[in-house]
Amino acid sequence: MSDTPEDRQGPDPQVEETVTPAEVRVRRSPRYFRFMITGAILFAIVALVLTFSFPENPTYDRGSVFGFLLAICVTVGVAVGAIVALVLDRVTARRARSVQADRIDVRVPEPGSSPERREGSQPEPGTNDTSTSDTQS
């Protein structure tokens, strides 16, 4: 087994981790898109049933009647699905509970770049860094 830096197990000195404890609220929420799609499909079926439940009109054929009803019913179905999802979201918001969580921020420098300097630190020897200089010659 070789003793290269890749083989050693241990923390990387250039990786910075900060852990911040916080209290967060956890709750279930509905998937709005799924509710709207379900409403659209259900009301499309209603449009199909309405098309064939009434006698055929001599002015309009069943295809055009179904098209008109489908446009109206799908729009209403999406709206009803969204309203149902909103109501469920409000109901489940009451059951939310607070839990303790840890937020971990990890900063890894990009390969080939020099590590970031902290405020007030000196540039590395051999580098020509003028970004902190406020005076011009």
Side-chain angles (χ1 to χ4, degrees), residues 57-130:
N57 188 343
T59 311
Y60 302 106
D61 63 340
R62 289 195 192 266
S64 60
V65 170
F66 177 67
F68 292 130
L69 286 175
L70 185 67
I72 294 168
C73 288
V74 165
T75 305
V76 170
V78 168
V80 168
I83 291 170
V84 168
L86 282 171
V87 168
L88 284 175
D89 190 30
R90 297 294 179 215
V91 169
T92 58
R94 294 179 190 154
R95 294 190 205 166
R97 57 180 190 245
S98 297
V99 295
Q100 196 68 22
D102 291 334
R103 177 184 173 141
I104 301 174
D105 293 321
V106 178
R107 304 229 172 162
V108 180
E110 292 183 20
S113 67
S114 63
E116 293 183 27
R117 288 196 339 240
R118 299 203 185 277
E119 184 86 18
S121 66
Q122 296 296 321
E124 292 182 12
T127 61
N128 198 6
D129 188 9
T130 59

Side-chain angles (χ1 to χ4, degrees), residues 7 16 20 22 54 60 77 84 94 121 123 128 133 137:
D7 294 336
E16 295 180 30
T20 310
F54 294 108
Y60 302 106
V84 168
R94 294 179 190 154
S121 66
N128 198 6
S133 174
S137 315

